[in-house]
């Protein structure tokens, strides 16, 4: 089902969607949130919807608990949109995203039937992604507990580790990058270079990894 993402020059899929929910202006209700998803799924003449569907299905069908799924979403959005406030748990929110994507895909392919999500991807890169999460983990964990603009989010780093181990290096890495940007965590120039290299190995455009919003401090080296 998944289509190639190497043509995207910005974050894509579920991690790209979370960026649209980082605006401090709150989404007032579930209908407004769905409208945001519809607009994102329609990007690139609907090409975006394929990867978004794959990510949402993969995470929703994983062995992760709903609490972990919700933590991943809140960490990537810095809590600006909490599905539980709108009578949704993490999985029901993901299933709603998937439904929007299916509707958009069927505009071009009326007979489209979603397949089972792919198995966890890039097992050879999981150790490298986990190393980066653990290296920045203390700073990210502190940011998740002390942000002036979000409720404390314990368990963010373990949730990211589990996403990489149980869902895959690709989505886990992108959610990790989004959390770093959401909480504006300081990273060294050396870390930044490693993140760019990992993105290249995953087939990303460099702007998927860093569109200028990572908080890079070369003097930390």
């Amino acid at each position: 089902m998944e289509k190639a993402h190497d043509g995207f020059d910005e974050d894509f899929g579920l991690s790209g969607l979370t960026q649209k929910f980082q605006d401090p202006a709150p989404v007032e209700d579930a209908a407004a949130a769905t409208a945001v998803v519809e607009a994102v799924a329609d990007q690139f003449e609907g090409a975006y919807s394929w990867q978004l569907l794959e990510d949402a299905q993969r995470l929703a069908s994983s062995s992760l608990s709903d609490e972990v799924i919700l933590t991943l979403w809140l960490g990537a959005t810095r809590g600006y949109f909490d599905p539980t406030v709108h009578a949704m748990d993490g999985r029901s929110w993901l299933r709603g995203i998937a439904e929007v994507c299916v509707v958009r895909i069927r505009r071009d392919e009326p007979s489209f039937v979603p397949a089972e999500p792919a198995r966890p991807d890039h097992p050879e890169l999981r150790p490298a992604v986990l190393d980066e999460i653990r290296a920045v983990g203390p700073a990210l964990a502190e940011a998740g507990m002390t942000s002036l603009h979000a409720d404390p989010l314990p368990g963010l780093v373990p949730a990211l580790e589990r996403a990489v181990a149980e869902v895959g290096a690709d989505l886990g890495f992108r959610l990790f990058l989004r959390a770093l940007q959401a909480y504006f965590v300081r990273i060294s120039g050396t870390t930044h270079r490693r993140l760019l290299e990992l993105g290249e190995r995953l087939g990303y455009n460099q702007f998927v990894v860093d569109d200028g919003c990572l908080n890079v401090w070369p003097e930390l080296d």
Side-chain angles (χ1 to χ4, degrees), residues 157-168:
V157 173
L160 288 166
E161 291 175 346
R162 290 193 61 187
V164 172
E166 299 179 37
V167 183

Side-chain angles (χ1 to χ4, degrees), residues 129-150:
V129 175
L130 287 171
D131 284 347
E132 297 305 327
I133 294 174
R134 290 163 182 162
V136 186
L140 180 56
E142 181 179 5
M145 292 298 293
T146 61
S147 173
L148 296 176
H149 305 288

Side-chain angles (χ1 to χ4, degrees), residues 11 14-23 76 178 181 211:
D11 200 1
L14 189 66
S15 56
L17 175 66
T18 64
Q19 187 178 24
K20 309 303 181 183
F21 286 91
Q22 287 186 8
D23 192 313
R178 190 51 58 194
Q181 295 181 43
D211 58 2

Side-chain angles (χ1 to χ4, degrees), residues 3 7-9 18 28 31 36-37 39 43 63 66 103 106 109 116 123 125 127 131 135 143 151 191 194 199:
K3 290 195 174 182
F8 294 134
D9 58 2
T18 64
E28 295 295 337
V36 174
V37 179
Q43 287 183 334
S63 60
D66 197 81
V103 169
R106 284 178 177 162
E109 300 187 21
E116 290 296 318
L125 293 181
D131 284 347
D151 292 334
T191 296
R194 288 199 305 265

Side-chain angles (χ1 to χ4, degrees), residues 21-94:
F21 286 91
Q22 287 186 8
D23 192 313
V27 176
E28 295 295 337
D29 53 33
T34 299
V36 174
V37 179
E38 289 171 342
V40 170
D42 196 44
Q43 287 183 334
F44 304 103
E45 298 181 343
Y48 202 107
S49 58
W50 291 86
Q51 184 67 52
L52 182 54
L53 175 60
E54 177 74 16
D55 284 352
Q57 284 194 316
R58 182 177 288 172
L59 194 54
S61 65
S62 73
S63 60
L64 299 179
S65 69
D66 197 81
E67 180 182 5
V68 169
I69 288 174
L70 185 62
T71 296
L72 291 168
W73 174 265
L74 294 177
T77 61
R78 204 167 66 170
Y80 282 137
F81 177 74
D82 184 346
T84 64
V85 174
H86 305 279
M88 294 179 285
D89 60 24
R91 275 193 166 81
S92 63
W93 171 234
L94 290 174

Side-chain angles (χ1 to χ4, degrees), residues 160-177:
L160 288 166
E161 291 175 346
R162 290 193 61 187
V164 172
E166 299 179 37
V167 183
D170 174 28
L171 180 55
F173 183 56
R174 284 186 280 118
L175 291 174
F176 167 56
L177 292 171

